[in-house]
């Protein structure tokens, strides 16, 4: 195989990975918009504990500490700052123990997040994510998000900046 291609083939049962991935995605969206209390936090913790390995490897996720605990802090912060968030999955693909989704996210920033004060502005952001499963748990997660566009929509970066 040419050198620009991965030298591995996904392992595992594609249908089992699809089932796990779909339950993971559906579980994350079950509480949005949030109920008026904080009950969603307990359900999110249960979901993460069920599907995410404690030592999950995170790629391109702005966490303050590694692993599942760092990811939980990130997800909780996102849920608190953007309580009306909604994620739509445009494409979902699964092969062996690997799953991928192209998605778009809409939400209104209602409290501070990543040291940015609340703007009250609505955003629509696109991205992709990849998950690698082992023994029914996510052991590796990749995220690619259009962060520049996100910050531009919040008015935190000049809209004229292009990369």
């Amino acid at each position: 195989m040419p050198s620009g291609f991965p030298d591995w083939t996904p392992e595992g049962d594609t249908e089992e990975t699809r089932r796990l991935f779909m339950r993971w995605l559906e579980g994350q969206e079950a509480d949005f918009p949030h109920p008026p209390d904080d009950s969603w936090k307990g359900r999110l913790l249960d979901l993460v504990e069920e599907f995410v390995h404690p030592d999950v490897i995170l790629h391109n996720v702005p966490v303050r500490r590694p692993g599942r605990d760092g990811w939980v802090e990130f997800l909780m912060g996102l849920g608190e700052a953007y309580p009306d968030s909604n994620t739509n999955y445009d494409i979902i693909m699964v092969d062996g123990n690997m799953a991928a989704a192209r998605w778009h996210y809409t939400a209104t920033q209602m409290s501070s997040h990543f040291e940015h004060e609340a703007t009250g502005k609505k955003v629509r952001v696109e991205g992709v994510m990849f998950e690698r499963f082992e023994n029914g748990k996510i052991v590796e997660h990749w995220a690619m998000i259009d962060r520049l566009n996100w910050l531009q929509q919040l008015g935190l970066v000049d809209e004229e900046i292009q990369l």
Side-chain angles (χ1 to χ4, degrees):
M1 187 172 292
S3 64
F5 291 88
D7 60 356
W8 55 270
T9 301
E11 299 175 5
D13 177 1
T14 297
E15 289 308 312
E16 176 63 8
T17 300
R18 180 183 317 280
R19 185 185 68 74
L20 291 168
F21 190 52
M22 294 304 293
R23 284 185 49 218
W24 166 245
L25 298 178
E26 291 167 357
Q28 289 182 75
E29 290 304 305
D31 280 322
F32 291 96
H34 293 313
D37 59 24
D38 283 343
S39 62
W40 65 273
K41 292 180 181 180
R43 287 187 294 278
L44 180 61
L45 285 171
D46 291 344
L47 181 73
V48 171
E49 187 171 307
E50 179 181 353
F51 287 99
V52 180
H53 189 277
D55 298 321
V56 64
I57 300 167
L58 302 170
H59 302 276
N60 203 30
V61 180
V63 294
R64 296 178 200 267
R65 58 186 173 141
R68 181 169 66 192
D69 292 340
W71 203 4
V72 165
E73 288 173 358
F74 171 78
L75 293 172
M76 291 286 183
L78 196 62
E80 289 173 351
Y82 297 88
D84 66 344
S85 67
N86 183 50
T87 304
N88 289 291
Y89 298 95
D90 306 310
I91 300 171
I92 295 173
M93 297 187 315
V94 180
D95 186 16
N97 65 341
M98 296 291 297
R102 181 182 182 280
W103 49 264
H104 66 273
Y105 172 84
T106 56
T108 309
Q109 186 191 24
M110 301 305 291
S111 66
S112 64
H113 191 239
F114 291 125
E115 289 80 39
H116 301 296
E117 292 303 315
T119 64
K121 294 183 178 180
K122 191 156 193 97
V123 297
R124 184 183 190 282
V125 183
E126 297 179 357
V128 293
M129 66 185 203
F130 300 87
E131 315 283 16
R132 184 169 64 85
F133 287 83
E134 283 183 10
N135 300 316
K137 301 267 189 188
I138 298 168
V139 295
E140 200 161 4
H141 168 82
W142 293 262
M144 286 159 267
I145 302 165
D146 187 351
R147 290 189 186 142
L148 176 60
N149 183 263
W150 191 331
L151 293 171
Q152 287 172 329
Q153 291 177 63
L154 293 176
L156 301 171
V157 175
D158 187 340
E159 288 186 34
E160 301 300 316
I161 293 177
Q162 299 285 320
L163 295 181

